[in-house]
Each structure stands twice: as structure tokens, then as C-alpha cells.
Amino acid sequence: MEDIKLKYINISEFEKEVYSYYLDIFPEEERKPLQLIKSSYERKITNIIESLCENEIVGFMLLNRLKDREYAVLDYLAIFPQYRNNEFGTKALKILLEQEKENNGIFVEIEKIGLGNDVEDNLSREKRKKFYEKLGFRKLNFDLVLFDVIYTPYIFSNINEDEDIIISEIFNIYEAISGKERIKQNCKIIKKLRFEEINKDNIKIAAKLQYEIFPKSSAYSVYKSKVTGERKDLYMGYIAYMENEPVGVTGIYEIPGYEDTAWLSWFGIKKQYRKLGYGKQILEYTIKVAKNYNKKYLRLYTFEIWNSEAQKFYKKNMDLGEYYYNEKEHKDIFLGKPKIFSKSLCDEKTDLWNNKFINISADEDSHEKSVLMMKEDKIIEE
């Protein structure tokens, strides 16, 4: 492998020698305005580093740090297209890591796998993840939303520090570059959710949260029949917590005669936590539960009109979508344009449901009964 050297350059050299590549390599939503890079460079926050092979520029890096010995953010790492597949990126980063070994560590953001625009995009993200892991970077236990892009953070560090300290240090760098108010509005931390099965101790929390998310469809009678043991068929319900705050609900049930299929039950998240990756976390947990019950398929019904906001999520995360019509249902059910989404949980492809009766009407009819029960149990006011 040819030798690589790193060269620290100034902002004028960046504009002249690198900036056009920067525009070509990184998509618009991931780029910082040139004026912002200039400002952070002039304030000695940003270091601009060229990767050289035989004095030829083959790539570049931007490294942000407030003070020596503290954490740094590797903002961009790129090898020019014509020089790729020569391990230049690996060599350049190894040199940087050696130079940085006395400091607290280097932090990188990788676009979250599974949320790419297409298969190729997700494969590219997976490749990037493996690249950093191979060099010793470890995944942190949270995700970041930065200016509407969701990232999974990794760190290279010789110290084992509390993640809250790391977050604080990194956000100090973000704020120094982009301004405190701008970061407050556009950057959020997505921590890993924890799940509790619905039981007699938390059923009121679950019912109140579910009703907040689905104000026209109360699940309390179902939750209560399961907790009291009245319901004998498969039903599992869960609360999703962000630390100690309940933020979402999910569950599975089965329809007699179709024991290979788990149906998604009252799956949802509070409005302020949507579009941040938490819905994906809750769905992944539900899939894990369904697999533990040896289910081959996961299906759900929703309404295109009444639950229009959920359609994009289901289209992206499920395998198939189809409209549902069965004459045994109440006719007003079809005003909402019911749809069934399906996903395979095994090696077999899932088929369309093809309008087999699922008794949506019974679920909808239980709403008034559930609301009365919630009032009787003082979960909601009269």
C-alpha cells in the first residue's frame, strides 16, 4: 500500500483545492455552508486536513475540537472518487488516530442503517459502519438527529467515560460551530427505549398513554381483560419508556385459525417523539416478541384516511400493503379506507391477506365500553 501523509491546510487552500470535491461527495442535507466552515476555522475550532499520496491530494478530513486533550468530532472524511479502493481512507484515519492518541477521543456520526433512500444507500451506510468498527470505533447507546438526518454515533477512545459526559462535550462543539439556539432547535438525542409488559401496576399508565395517542380508539377493555386473566388467547401489550417517561405503546395478538400470524395491536408513539427513529425501535421490539412466539408473519390494519400520518412509515417498514373489504364488517368501517400491511418474519415471503375476515368492527365497537371503564377507574375525567 502506498504511503499516505496528512497535511493541515488553511481555509483558502480548502476553497481552492478541496471544496468542489466536498460539494460532489456529500449530499446537500449533510453539508455545512462554506461560511460556517470559514467561521469555525478562523475561530480555531476546525482543522482542515488533506490526505496526500506522493504529494498528490487524494482526500480530506475536517476535525473539530474546542481544546487540546478533549474530544474531537470528525466532521467529514472523504477520499476522492478516482482514488478509492486503494485503502487510502484506512491509512489516513490510522495516522490521525495515532496523532490523537493522547486526547480523549474522536467522535463520528454515521447515517443510521435502514433509513436510507434505497438499498444502495443502506449498503453504503453498512459499509461505512464496518469501516469505522474495523479501526476500533465503538457504537454509543443513542442516536442523534442533526438537521433532520438521523445518525448513529461511534467513538474512538482509550478512556471509558460516561455517555452523558461525551454527549455534553460533543454538543459543546456543535454549539460553538453553529450557535446554541440553532443546535437546540435542530439537534436531538435519541436514546434506547426500554419496554415493560402491561400489568396490574402499570395498566392505567398504558391506557392513558394509548388513549392520548389514539383518542378515537381506547384499548383499556382489552388491556384489562388480559391483566385480569379473562382473556385466554394470545395478547401481549407493552409500554415503551424513554428513561422514565412513557412515550409509546405496542402489542401483538392472534386471530383464531391463523396461528402463524401475529397482528400488531395499538402501535403508536406520542406526537413529540415521532419522526425521530423511535417508531422504528418500537416496531423492531415488537417483531422480536412475535418471533419469540414462533410467528412467521406480522400484519396490521390501519385506515388510510383516519391514520394517514402512519402510511409512509408502514409502506417503508412492511413488505406488502393492500386495501381491505369484507361484507361482514360494519359498512361505516370502509369510510376510512382500511388497509392491511404485512411483513415476513422468516425466510418465506408473505402473501396478501385477500380480504379474509378480521372483525375490525368488534375492535371499534369496544371503544365506548373502554372509555366508560376508564372513567369508572378514574383514568380519565367524566
Side-chain angles (χ1 to χ4, degrees):
M1 184 168 61
E2 298 174 82
D3 285 340
I4 293 290
K5 295 181 180 179
L6 302 186
K7 178 186 175 184
Y8 288 72
I9 63 173
N10 61 38
I11 192 65
S12 297
E13 291 170 307
F14 174 75
E15 286 188 76
K16 181 180 178 181
E17 301 170 3
V18 175
Y19 186 61
S20 61
Y21 286 102
Y22 171 74
L23 294 177
D24 287 339
I25 292 170
F26 294 98
E28 184 177 0
E29 66 270 17
E30 295 178 24
R31 297 196 301 258
K32 288 184 173 66
L34 178 59
Q35 190 55 47
L36 200 62
I37 296 174
K38 280 184 178 181
S39 173
S40 62
Y41 171 81
E42 290 166 356
R43 288 180 288 131
K44 302 188 185 304
I45 298 170
T46 297
N47 291 292
I48 305 169
I49 309 165
E50 287 181 341
S51 302
L52 303 177
C53 178
E54 297 180 355
N55 293 320
E56 186 77 23
I57 305 170
V58 298
F60 69 94
M61 294 180 266
L62 268 62
L63 188 71
N64 301 318
R65 175 185 282 111
L66 296 180
K67 294 178 182 178
D68 289 342
R69 305 286 182 184
E70 293 185 353
Y71 289 97
V73 174
L74 183 58
D75 216 351
Y76 299 98
L77 167 63
I79 298 297
F80 300 156
Q82 64 269 34
Y83 296 111
R84 290 174 187 167
N85 301 317
N86 289 302
E87 297 192 21
F88 289 162
T90 299
K91 182 71 173 179
L93 188 51
K94 280 184 176 180
I95 295 171
L96 181 68
L97 295 178
E98 178 64 24
Q99 292 178 356
E100 292 284 324
K101 65 182 181 181
E102 299 300 325
N103 294 319
N104 283 1
I106 294 181
F107 180 90
V108 296
E109 308 124 357
I110 301 172
E111 299 94 328
K112 189 168 180 64
I113 295 168
L115 299 182
N117 297 319
D118 49 39
V119 173
E120 185 179 351
D121 188 8
N122 281 318
L123 287 174
S124 177
R125 295 177 184 209
E126 180 69 34
K127 185 178 179 181
R128 200 170 301 131
K129 176 183 81 78
K130 290 180 179 178
F131 168 78
Y132 284 108
E133 287 178 341
K134 188 176 179 181
L135 289 167
F137 284 78
R138 60 180 171 85
K139 181 180 177 296
L140 295 172
N141 294 310
F142 59 92
D143 287 333
L144 286 172
V145 181
L146 303 177
F147 299 92
D148 298 324
V149 179
I150 300 178
Y151 295 92
T152 299
Y154 280 73
I155 197 159
F156 184 94
S157 179
N158 295 318
I159 61 176
N160 189 18
E161 198 149 44
D162 186 278
E163 289 195 353
D164 288 337
I165 294 175
I166 297 172
I167 291 170
S168 177
E169 295 269 2
I170 300 310
F171 267 65
N172 285 340
I173 296 172
Y174 291 160
E175 291 171 0
I177 293 172
S178 299
K180 192 167 186 176
E181 191 58 37
R182 192 161 179 252
I183 292 300
K184 183 179 178 181
Q185 293 176 1
N186 295 285
C187 300
K188 295 181 176 64
I189 299 165
I190 307 175
K191 293 192 175 181
K192 190 173 182 179
L193 299 175
R194 65 178 179 87
F195 294 85
E196 280 185 7
E197 185 179 342
I198 297 172
N199 55 51
K200 62 182 178 60
D201 296 321
N202 62 23
I203 186 172
K204 290 186 177 182
I205 294 172
K208 190 171 183 179
L209 174 61
Q210 184 274 328
Y211 193 51
E212 178 184 346
I213 298 169
F214 299 96
K216 295 181 180 179
S217 183
S218 170
Y220 187 50
S221 62
V222 175
Y223 290 165
K224 197 164 185 178
S225 66
K226 171 62 178 179
V227 168
T228 59
E230 178 185 344
R231 182 168 184 160
K232 302 300 182 183
D233 59 328
L234 175 64
Y235 183 86
M236 302 299 296
Y238 299 90
I239 306 171
Y241 286 88
M242 163 58 71
E243 295 181 337
N244 292 319
E245 181 184 359
V247 298
V249 290
T250 188
I252 60 168
Y253 65 98
E254 65 182 18
I255 295 176
Y258 304 100
E259 282 75 17
D260 62 351
T261 296
W263 287 80
L264 194 62
S265 170
W266 284 293
F267 165 86
I269 193 160
K270 289 170 72 171
K271 190 171 184 179
Q272 61 267 41
Y273 292 95
R274 293 171 190 166
K275 299 181 180 178
L276 295 173
Y278 288 121
K280 179 83 170 175
Q281 274 195 56
I282 297 174
L283 181 61
E284 287 173 350
Y285 180 82
T286 312
I287 288 172
K288 182 180 176 181
V289 170
K291 286 182 176 180
N292 286 341
Y293 281 90
N294 298 314
K295 301 302 179 185
K296 296 168 68 174
Y297 311 107
L298 180 70
R299 302 184 195 268
L300 65 95
Y301 77 82
T302 185
F303 295 95
E304 186 173 72
I305 293 176
W306 300 331
N307 294 329
S308 58
E309 189 178 335
Q311 299 299 305
K312 288 184 180 179
F313 179 84
Y314 293 134
K315 286 176 182 177
K316 189 170 186 176
N317 291 285
M318 304 295 282
D319 297 336
L320 297 172
E322 60 188 301
Y323 287 100
Y324 170 75
Y325 183 86
N326 188 296
E327 291 185 350
K328 293 181 181 179
E329 304 281 4
H330 294 170
K331 297 306 177 189
D332 59 355
I333 288 293
F334 303 111
L335 296 175
K337 291 191 175 181
K339 292 185 77 173
I340 292 176
F341 287 91
S342 304
K343 183 178 182 66
S344 176
L345 306 180
C346 61
D347 294 334
E348 299 177 23
K349 289 185 177 180
T350 185
D351 294 324
L352 294 172
W353 186 249
N354 284 327
N355 295 317
K356 294 187 283 289
F357 183 55
I358 57 175
N359 205 4
I360 295 176
S361 302
D363 289 341
E364 299 303 308
D365 288 347
S366 71
H367 170 70
E368 290 185 13
K369 174 185 173 183
S370 288
V371 171
L372 288 173
M373 289 172 64
M374 290 174 74
K375 290 178 180 178
E376 289 172 2
D377 291 348
K378 302 189 183 306
I379 296 172
I380 57 176
E381 296 179 357
E382 294 288 342

